[in-house]
Amino acid sequence: MPPSSLIPHPSSFKERPYALLCELTYRCPLQCPYCSNPVDFARHRDELRTEEWERVLSEGAALGVVQVHFSGGEPLLLPDLPRIVRRARDLGLYSNLSTGGTLLTEKMAKTLREAGLDSLQVSVQDSDAENSDRMAGGAPSFEKKMNAARFAREAGFALTINVVLHRQNLDRIEAIIAMAEKLGAERLELANTQYNGWALKNRSTLLPSRAQVERASSVAGLARERLKGKMEILYVIPDYFEQFPKACMQGWGRVFMTVTADGSVLPCQTAREIRGLTFENVRTRSLEEIWFRSETFCKFRGTDWLPEPCRSCERKEMDFGGCRCQAFLVTGDATVTDPVCSRSPQRGLIEKALEEAVPGGVLIYRNANESLRLG
């Protein structure tokens, strides 16, 4: 008999994932107050070895994955990163690296390009150097990030600039767009903060005002038209200000999977925050077994599990009830309708959070020295 966490799913789900996120390490020299790394760093000390990552990539390719994204923490802390990238290239996978940029040298950029990395994303906190450094935890990092973007371009990468947006930088959106233009980015991701992990701890200070969001949306839209064919701009209205939720990761366990630094396999990188779920590990199960048969991947897949009002909603095949992690983090119950939905009985919790947002406030930063010691 298979263990209860690996049971056949009654719907005989057959779709395969096309994207794999590899969180290579949670160590990082920066300490951003919206960091997506797990809050409980100490539980993730046993990082996968290089040969284990190579096996993960092989299993992913065999399962149907065509894109792999390498992130952290800071993946450039791994000495064997070029070897891992080369394995992805040998398997025919399109690969992207997300980095804070502070450790990228001209030599490493060329090495990664020669290893077969297809695109590189540099995260920048703000167009204003002082605030960018402040949001990175006080470390002098802005100029290093500018150099990293230049190294990436000179090495021949398709460069993406990623800026997480929040109350502290949203009013400088024009300058942020101009910065990305100056750096020669092919893509600019204006990524509104997702309120989980460290960002949830800092929600009242990071949440923008509705006026900020509306203005930023207008500015981004005009820039998108102006720069069409030159630089792609991605801007999505923050969940808390939407009328309906998005289909998180295009639906739970449908096209995307994450492998964490210590080998756990998640339907999305935030799923570990949902208490009560058990995540299988690549050290004991194959990616194919986990994708098709693990209880956690099957739990919220499709629409059969949906509660009301989702079950009777005409949008259920569009948003699949919204984000399970957001539902849990806001209401304490991952099975309810995403509370950002205007039809959710819990929408009042989102309205309350918006009311409690404050212009000032003290940001909580994680301990960068602790995260660097992990592993």
Side-chain angles (χ1 to χ4, degrees), residues 203-205 207 349-359:
R203 185 174 64 179
S204 64
T205 305
L207 262 174
L349 296 174
I350 298 296
E351 298 299 338
K352 182 181 179 188
L354 292 172
E355 291 172 2
E356 292 174 349
V358 293

Side-chain angles (χ1 to χ4, degrees), residues 4-14 252-254 266-267 277-279 288-306 324:
S4 59
S5 58
L6 282 173
I7 57 176
H9 190 244
S11 66
S12 300
F13 183 76
K14 298 185 183 303
W252 179 279
R254 293 177 62 85
L266 317 177
L277 295 184
T278 300
F279 301 102
E288 183 166 8
E289 282 184 296
I290 295 170
W291 176 259
F292 285 114
R293 299 179 57 214
S294 71
E295 185 176 21
T296 295
F297 266 81
C298 296
K299 188 174 183 66
F300 300 118
R301 185 178 269 159
T303 59
D304 291 345
W305 66 273
L306 287 174
R324 295 303 88 218

